[in-house]
Every structure is written in structure tokens, then in C-alpha cells.
Amino acid sequence: MKQKQLALVIVIACVAGISGFLVQRWALDVETERQVAPELVLQTLDGGQLRLSSLRGKLVLVNFWATWCAPCLNEIPMLVAAQKRYHDRGLQILGPAMDDPEQVKAMLPRLRISYPVLIGEDDIPNAMDALGDTLGALPFSVLISPDGYVVERKHGEFDAEDLAELIEKHLPAGRPS
């Protein structure tokens, strides 16, 4: 009789464990569904517009910055290098600047930014909010998967190792870079 009771307890424990796992997975899937990247339309430096949805199919790193933000300026060379290194594998970096457009244009030759820089006095703070900024501090980065989901958010400056690890983790497999 004791063996039957022990077997029953083991079966119940297994069913409970599996049920708990499935409920947790369902909860994570529900949370992921709520993190679809919002549709954003931002102004480019040349007066055009860029729709975030136009980049579907690419891994998009949106890095909010400003010319007066020292940590922002420190990480820009790493971002430029990452754009060059991973572009052929599907990475697209965007650089919305929370700054006066003329100051941004004046600094671009020194920074040698090779990815789109976006501007807009009201549009940039609104985009930060829409992408989940909770601090209002720069730099603020958001990684969006090729299918349009927010997969990572980061307040503060990247270091080279963390940036490469983040990109490699989310890029589709492809040729080594």
C-alpha cells in the first residue's frame, strides 16, 4: 500500500511541476505579446521620415543620445563599428538625437556616424516614452527583433563586450563577422 501512495505522490508532483512550467511559459508569452514595438515615424537630418516598421526583417538597435551627453559620445564609436560589422547580417542601428538639429549636424563630421540619425524636439522624447523609457536619462537603447518585438532595453552606456554579446545573441545565424 505504501508503494502505491508513494507512486501517487510522485505522479501528482510531476503533474504539478509540468503544469507550473506550462503556466509560466504561457505567462511569458503573454508578456512578450505586450512588447510589440510601437509604430514610430521620426524625422531624418535631411528632412525625410523614417518609419520604424520599414525596418521589419532587421535587428534594430535604437540608441537615444545627445551631443552634450558624455556617455553617449563615448559609445558612438562602438556603435559605428557594430553597424559596420553586423550590417550584412541584418543589424540596423538608429540614432535619435535629443538635441538641437544644428548642433547634431555640426558634430556629425567628428563622430563619423554611419547609421541614420533622427531628430525632432517633441518626437524624440515621445519615442523614448513609447519604447519604454522609465528614467528619462541618456543614453537609452532599445533592441527590436526582426519581427518587431522589443527584446532588450538598456539605460546607460554600453561597453564593447556587452554590445557585441547582445547583438550576437539576437542576430540570426549567418556568416561569422
Side-chain angles (χ1 to χ4, degrees), residues 61 71-86 91 93 111 115 157-164 167:
L61 179 64
C72 300
L73 299 177
N74 287 340
E75 72 181 359
I76 285 176
M78 284 182 285
L79 296 170
V80 169
Q83 179 65 54
K84 182 178 180 181
R85 179 177 181 187
Y86 296 109
L91 176 68
I93 297 177
L111 296 174
Y115 47 84
E157 182 179 349
F158 280 108
D159 67 37
E161 187 177 311
D162 289 342
L163 179 61
I167 292 168

Side-chain angles (χ1 to χ4, degrees), residues 42-133:
L42 297 171
Q43 185 180 347
T44 61
L45 281 172
D46 63 4
Q49 289 186 333
L50 186 139
R51 288 186 171 281
L52 190 55
S53 63
S54 72
L55 298 172
R56 286 279 164 84
K58 295 182 178 284
L59 181 67
V60 179
L61 179 64
V62 183
N63 176 259
F64 293 90
W65 68 287
T67 60
W68 44 263
C69 169
C72 300
L73 299 177
N74 287 340
E75 72 181 359
I76 285 176
M78 284 182 285
L79 296 170
V80 169
Q83 179 65 54
K84 182 178 180 181
R85 179 177 181 187
Y86 296 109
H87 181 265
D88 290 344
R89 288 185 51 201
L91 176 68
Q92 180 59 63
I93 297 177
L94 301 177
M98 197 140 151
D99 215 330
D100 175 79
E102 294 309 313
Q103 290 178 332
V104 173
K105 287 177 186 177
M107 189 165 272
L108 284 181
R110 187 185 104 195
L111 296 174
R112 297 183 181 161
I113 296 176
S114 57
Y115 47 84
V117 173
L118 307 163
I119 53 173
E121 284 184 53
D122 295 327
D123 294 338
I124 301 301
N126 291 341
M128 286 178 72
D129 288 343
L131 287 170
D133 179 36

